[in-house]
Every structure is written in structure tokens, then in C-alpha cells.
Amino acid sequence: MNPEDRSENSAGGSAAERAAIVLVCNGPGELATWVRPLAQRLHRDLALRPLQPEAPIGLQLVLVPCPNATGSEHQVAARMQLFERILPAGRFWWLVLRPRRHGPWPRRGVVVFLGGDQFWTVLLSARLGYRHLTYAEWVARWPRWNDRIAAMGPTAADRLAPRWRSRCRVVGDLMADLSEASRAERPLPSGTWVALMPGSKRAKLQVGVPFLLEVADRLAALQPGCRFLLPVAPTTSVPELLAYAGPANPIAAHYAATNLRLEPGPEGQELCTAAGTRIVLVEQQPAHGVLSQCALALTTVGANTAELGALGVPMIVLVPTQHLHVMQAWDGGLGILARLPILRWLLGAAMTAWRMRHRGFLAWPNISAGRAVVPERVGTITPAEIAEEAADWLLHPQRLEGMREDLRSLRGQPGAVAALAGMVRELLPAATGDAA
């Protein structure tokens, strides 16, 4: 029996006498940076199942359909061991149509939006008859049906019509707490560490793994003192990373760093390229502690950039567009069409090329600041170009420190996770009775 199936069967007992907190999420980035910290905080503040089996309140997770998801988010969530019940995205519509198919549901509870399409949480909270709390990064799309809105900042709060603003509270950026939590992790050995972050989805890994491996080889030749680490995303594995660097991945033939070997090292498993570059694999999740000690990160777009920004890690954001036919990891209806077997090659390439020509900022720190805080390199970029740029940054630590300070200034004050957990508690029936 799968972990999520076991957790569904654990919600027995007298459902009418119990309550539920249901966190709703879509992808691996949100799971790591929003869901996990809030779930840990709720367990710290309240007696919750499954950590306290006799508690009257259960903590549950519902994953919603999303074209950017990997399909293995429920497995990642199960390994956290924080949730009484986990519903994979593929079961979402059955949950809405027939909730009791997945076991008994308490009569009262709170649904919390933490990623995906906000409408799914509106629908789910209405179907279950639960109160509804939305964490809004930039905009709350359905304020009429939100009991409360937790805004990341004034941007989301100011977009609300005056009639809904009494429901809103600015709690701050949930990622601002990441750097505080990371300090308990082990220190890295001395050296200039560079993080390689190829992404977590197949479309990104196909390009990102061979591209960054060649960058590492070239950067090691330019800066022999460099040391490299690669956090293994929870939705992938070491064997998959090896496969993306080998003949099974047609993109790998365009790059030099192939024939990887997996070898033991003092810090754990290491990838060793044919040129002799050694890359420490970080399989512990989350990897915030080791990432926060890196001088520089080379990363794809996505949640990585928000995570690195919250940790104050200087970065170069990479979007090599020479492989457009595999870069269909976009959202929305067109993203779904681009993944259909007949249309994916033509429409996917055309759509991605259009978005590259009409793009704004792609990295989250730049989007948040409205200016170029971290460099974005988009186009037919080469590993040689990126290695030279990375070497130049490393030769000028004062410039890296300036970028780090800019990122820290965007991060905001810690405390958003505690504030959001407080709003969840306020909505719980046990704390507020039946008041709206």
C-alpha cells in the first residue's frame, strides 16, 4: 500500500467530532518552501494528527492539477511524515465529486491555499463546507469566497477592492524564514563553493544537467579552487541525473561533460566527470543549509530562484533556448496543448519562442524588485560563456557581496510562517466557534 493510501485510511474515528486543516499545493517548489514550513509550524503550535494520533485536528494535504507539476509530489510529501492524509493531483476531481470516497471528512475545517490555481481551493472549500484562507503572493483572485487573505506584501493587499480589505492581513514572505531555519545544518568544508541547480522537471533536467556539467568542467579549469555541489531535487534521483548526462538523453550529445561516474567522497556521493571535476550530491532535503554557504549558484528559472533569493545566495539564472523543442514546461492552457502528442513539437516550440521574445523578468528576485537584481542569461548561451561569467563574478567578491545584500534587502523580516499559522488557528472551529 502506498503512503498516501495508508494516510487516507488513518482519518477514521468520529469525523463529526473532529476538524481538519487542509493545505492545498501544486508543485515541488511550493512543497519545499511554503507547505513544509507551515506544516512544521502548525505541528509546533497545535496538537495535530498524525504526530499526535489522539488529537482532534488532522493535518491533510491536497495536491491540485498543474502543468508544472512532476507527478511525484505526493511521494515527496509522504516522506515529510507531516500529513494524516495526502491526496495526489490525479484524484482531485474525484475528491470534489465524491469526498467520502477518500474516507470520512470532519464537518468543520480550514482549507489553505499554498500554490496552484486559487480557484481549486475555492471549489474544494465550498464542497467540504470549510473555511478558506488564501496566501496571496501578488493577487487574491477570489476575495468574495475567502474568509481570510494572507498577503505576502502591500502589492497583493492594495489590489483588493475596499470592501474585501478587512479580510486581508499582510504577513510577509514565507521564504523570509528559510535562512533562519538553515543555520542549524552542518558547515561545508573550506573552499569556494558553487551550486549547480538544473531544476526538478524533466524538460529542464534534459538541458540543465549536461549544460551545467560542462560549465562545471570549464569553470574548474578557470578557477581550480572551485568546489561544486548539486542538490538532488526531491522529485528526481541520482540514477536519473546520471541518465540525463548519458546517451539516453539526446541533448547530452551537444555537450562535453558526459561519461559520468558515481564515486564515494568525504561529503557523500559525488559525480565525477571525464575531466575529473567532482560534484558533491546533496540528497538531504531541504538543502538550505549548504546552499546558504555557496558563493554563487548557477540555476534554471523557477522556484529555485525564489529559494536562493530568500537564502541570500548570489546567482546567475540560465535559460538556454537552443533546445526549444524540449522546453515546454510552461503553464496555462497552451502549456497543456503543447504536451499533446500531435501538437507538442510545433506548438510547444512556437509558444516557447514567443514567450522568450515577449518575456519580462524570469527570476523571482527580479520580478519582486521590478529590476535586474540577479543576471538572467536567456538565448543560445554556451557553457563556455557562462563559465567565464561565473569566474569573473568569483574574482570580484565585492560584487557578489553587493548582490547578496540586494537579495537580503528584498527578503523582508522573518515571521511570515508564524503569522500565517496564527491566521489558520483563528479560523479553526475550536478557536473561533462558528463565527465567520
Side-chain angles (χ1 to χ4, degrees):
M1 184 180 291
N2 292 329
E4 62 271 18
D5 293 325
R6 286 198 300 269
S7 60
E8 286 170 17
N9 292 331
S10 69
S14 178
E17 299 174 359
R18 298 187 173 194
I21 300 173
V22 183
L23 308 185
V24 176
C25 180
N26 62 327
E30 291 79 5
L31 268 177
T33 58
W34 290 359
V35 171
R36 186 202 300 265
L38 180 61
Q40 290 172 333
R41 180 73 193 205
L42 288 169
H43 276 294
R44 172 181 162 183
D45 293 351
L46 298 167
L48 300 176
R49 304 188 305 272
L51 299 190
Q52 297 193 37
E54 301 304 317
I57 306 171
L59 185 61
Q60 313 196 17
L61 177 69
V62 171
L63 296 159
V64 293
C66 176
N68 289 326
T70 65
S72 60
E73 285 79 8
H74 60 289
Q75 297 170 348
V76 175
R79 291 196 292 270
M80 295 179 187
Q81 299 182 332
L82 296 170
F83 304 102
E84 176 187 41
R85 168 163 43 188
I86 300 168
L87 269 295
R91 303 187 193 180
F92 177 75
W93 289 111
W94 281 113
L95 170 62
V96 173
L97 291 172
R98 296 175 59 189
R100 293 191 176 276
R101 177 176 180 171
H102 298 287
W105 289 86
R107 289 189 304 179
R108 299 180 297 176
V110 182
V111 174
V112 185
F113 170 82
L114 290 170
D117 189 322
Q118 293 180 23
F119 181 70
W120 301 145
T121 49
V122 171
L123 191 63
L124 181 61
S125 62
R127 183 68 178 89
L128 296 176
Y130 289 0
R131 292 172 175 174
H132 183 194
L133 169 63
T134 288
Y135 177 66
E137 264 191 302
W138 309 113
V139 61
R141 301 189 182 280
W142 309 96
R144 180 187 300 272
W145 291 284
N146 293 159
D147 292 284
R148 299 287 188 274
I149 298 164
M152 182 179 75
T155 300
D158 293 345
R159 287 181 175 177
L160 289 169
R163 63 186 297 191
W164 310 123
R165 288 181 184 173
S166 62
R167 302 183 180 185
C168 179
R169 182 186 307 167
V170 175
V171 298
D173 189 345
L174 293 179
M175 291 192 183
D177 291 348
L178 292 185
S179 60
E180 298 298 318
S182 70
R183 300 189 191 281
E185 299 187 33
R186 72 181 193 277
L188 288 171
S190 61
T192 301
W193 286 88
V194 176
L196 308 176
M197 304 187 71
S200 58
K201 304 177 182 71
R202 183 176 184 273
K204 292 180 179 178
L205 290 166
Q206 273 189 286
V207 179
V209 169
F211 187 96
L212 285 177
L213 290 175
E214 183 173 336
V215 171
D217 273 347
R218 292 179 177 274
L219 182 53
L222 294 171
Q223 293 283 317
C226 274
R227 307 186 70 175
F228 300 93
L229 62 83
L230 192 159
V232 181
T235 50
T236 187
S237 65
V238 174
E240 287 176 343
L241 292 177
L242 290 168
Y244 285 122
N249 177 14
I251 302 299
H254 296 271
Y255 299 96
T258 55
N259 301 318
L260 282 184
R261 304 188 308 277
L262 188 63
E263 298 183 356
E267 299 301 312
Q269 294 192 98
E270 296 182 351
L271 295 178
C272 186
T273 70
T277 305
R278 303 185 75 88
I279 302 164
V280 175
L281 295 174
V282 181
E283 299 183 72
Q284 178 183 350
Q285 294 293 334
H288 300 151
V290 291
L291 283 173
S292 64
Q293 300 171 63
C294 290
L296 181 66
L298 307 176
T299 181
T300 57
V301 293
N304 283 352
T305 64
E307 200 169 352
L308 291 167
L311 295 169
V313 179
M315 71 191 87
I316 302 175
V317 181
L318 310 174
V319 186
T321 60
Q322 55 265 43
H323 308 292
L324 285 176
H325 61 289
V326 298
M327 294 179 61
Q328 295 141 359
W330 304 110
D331 52 5
L334 284 177
I336 296 173
L337 289 176
R339 278 175 281 277
L340 294 176
I342 297 176
L343 298 178
R344 64 180 301 179
W345 298 105
L346 177 61
L347 180 58
M351 178 186 65
T352 307
W354 181 87
R355 287 193 64 164
M356 287 297 98
R357 287 196 304 270
H358 297 81
R359 68 181 182 91
F361 289 120
L362 299 175
W364 280 107
N366 295 345
I367 295 170
S368 178
R371 59 185 177 88
V373 175
V374 302
E376 298 180 2
R377 300 296 173 247
V378 181
T380 54
I381 55 178
T382 67
E385 294 169 346
I386 299 306
E388 289 176 5
E389 181 173 1
D392 185 63
W393 278 100
L394 294 173
L395 286 171
H396 297 88
Q398 72 281 4
R399 292 176 58 208
L400 283 175
E401 186 57 30
M403 192 194 305
R404 194 182 297 273
E405 288 301 320
D406 281 346
L407 292 170
R408 287 170 179 161
S409 70
L410 293 173
R411 187 172 59 203
Q413 296 298 315
V417 174
L420 183 58
M423 294 183 72
V424 174
R425 294 197 306 271
E426 291 170 8
L427 289 175
L428 280 173
T432 60
D434 295 320

